[in-house]
Amino acid sequence: MTLEPLPAAPRINPSILAADFANMQAELARIASADFVHVDVMDNHFVPNLTFGPQMVERIQQTSPIPLDVHLMMTDPDRWAPGYAELGAASVTFHLEAAADPVALARRLRDIGARAGIAIKPGTAAEPLFDVLDEFDQILVMTVEPGFGGQGFMPETMPKLRALADEARRRGSDVWLQVDGGIADQTIAQAAAAGADTFVAGSAVYGSDDIEAAVTRLRAIARAGSLEA
Ligand code: DX5
Ligand code: ZN
């Protein structure tokens, strides 16, 4: 395994859910200046939408110029998530609501060599994670209901993000705090001010004519937002 240095915060992870699925190689090349490619795996069961599975993610892994940040919106991640770590994803995030044994699964993902992430939906409390922060490399606070791109950012999730950031600071944890859903020029500063350091953006990146400029702008606004915190 090659140990590349990890990208520094603020990290911008474009979501290929907003890309043209028929031109994936070209769509991946367009985001070469971003930090990670965010790969939304949906099983039509945990969420009411279906995207792709391990075969497609493996081709993305082989083709992408930047490392993979896999977001598993599926039931039974205990069974399926390790396969995504094995195919080489840099980080694998599963949902707390779906996992039978989140800590055991995170340990397996780390053993395989991936960063272990745990995601919570807007209505899920963060407190159960406080005592196990060290077991994870990343916590994903969903800022929309998972399932679809292009939805509106939910500002009511910000107090939960702030509480997680405070708790991580109090414990001296270096866990990354990620937000996903409705992240754009107008919303990224408030997420950064609440403590996010890693930002998923689908439509805001792929909807732009100049992707490199969009990524640079999102990073700059996030950096300014985090200074306001
Ligand atoms: C939603 C997905 C997101 C989605 C974000 O369930 O987890 O990653 O692609 O898309 P935007 O940025 O368009 O809200
Ligand atoms: Zn996602």
Side-chain angles (χ1 to χ4, degrees):
M1 200 176 72
T2 47
L3 282 177
E4 307 263 335
L6 290 166
R11 289 166 283 266
I12 306 296
N13 300 3
S15 169
I16 49 154
L17 190 60
D20 177 358
F21 282 18
N23 290 300
M24 201 47 87
Q25 189 162 10
E27 293 286 70
L28 289 166
R30 291 174 75 202
I31 56 168
S33 72
D35 294 296
F36 293 84
V37 52
H38 184 82
V39 180
D40 286 308
V41 174
M42 304 188 188
D43 69 348
N44 212 19
H45 189 85
F46 181 72
V47 289
N49 195 4
L50 183 66
T51 54
F52 34 67
Q55 261 187 298
M56 179 70 173
V57 179
E58 185 156 33
R59 287 296 292 139
I60 294 168
Q61 166 72 25
Q62 291 161 354
T63 311
S64 175
I66 54 175
L68 270 59
D69 173 42
V70 174
H71 177 194
L72 300 174
M73 285 158 277
M74 58 160 61
T75 52
D76 204 6
D78 306 76
R79 176 169 177 194
W80 301 109
Y84 291 88
E86 274 156 11
L87 65 80
S91 85
V92 178
T93 297
F94 59 88
H95 270 266
L96 173 63
E97 302 87 355
D101 191 341
V103 167
L105 180 52
R107 289 181 183 172
R108 270 187 78 195
L109 295 172
R110 282 177 164 179
D111 281 348
I112 298 167
R115 292 174 57 82
I118 189 149
I120 50 177
K121 298 202 275 187
T124 302
E127 283 79 9
L129 294 174
F130 286 1
D131 279 334
V132 287
L133 281 186
D134 284 350
E135 300 285 350
F136 301 99
D137 300 297
Q138 167 171 298
I139 297 177
L140 167 50
V141 173
M142 289 302 300
T143 44
V144 297
E145 288 297 339
F148 299 93
Q151 303 182 77
F153 176 82
M154 295 170 66
E156 59 269 39
T157 57
M158 292 297 95
K160 182 168 73 178
L161 175 59
R162 205 176 280 277
L164 268 167
D166 288 346
E167 190 65 22
R169 201 172 302 118
R170 207 174 63 74
R171 293 175 187 248
S173 158
D174 57 1
V175 69
W176 292 1
L177 298 179
Q178 184 178 58
V179 283
D180 180 9
I183 298 297
D185 289 1
Q186 301 76 17
T187 54
I188 194 168
Q190 56 180 302
D197 50 40
T198 308
F199 304 85
V200 177
S203 20
V205 169
Y206 277 105
S208 159
D209 293 337
D210 186 343
I211 284 195
E212 202 176 326
V215 168
T216 302
R217 195 169 58 243
L218 285 167
R219 260 198 210 108
I221 303 172
R223 195 170 285 123
S226 65
L227 294 175
E228 277 167 27

